[in-house]
Amino acid sequence: MTTEESILNKIQILITNHFDTPEEAFSFFDADGSGKLKKSEIKKLLEEAKVSGFLRGLVSSKLIEGYDKSDDELIDWQEFKAAVAKIKTT
């Protein structure tokens, strides 16, 4: 299993085990209620998913880079939903 697959798997386990829906997970990690996840909120999600501290900064940047279609360096609900859909197919 690649590192990417391993991280995506950890995020899937977190969402499945601790939240009823992906929407609930998104709302939980959207600490400031802005409707978008900033890098620090994504790092918190990764921390809760048990991704090592060494990788959290890099992975949060890569997630933003890979899924931020609006190019605002934030992950909105639609972008989060696309990431969750990718997780479900891996």
Side-chain angles (χ1 to χ4, degrees), residues 44-80:
K44 182 66 177 166
L45 181 152
L46 294 170
E47 179 182 347
E48 292 293 323
K50 307 292 187 228
V51 173
S52 83
F54 175 75
L55 292 175
R56 279 195 288 268
L58 177 64
V59 171
S60 61
S61 294
K62 289 294 185 184
L63 284 170
I64 290 171
E65 183 181 304
Y67 292 100
D68 176 25
K69 302 306 178 199
S70 59
D71 221 17
D72 59 2
E73 297 189 10
L74 302 167
I75 299 295
D76 65 26
W77 166 242
Q78 293 303 319
E79 295 160 343
F80 185 81

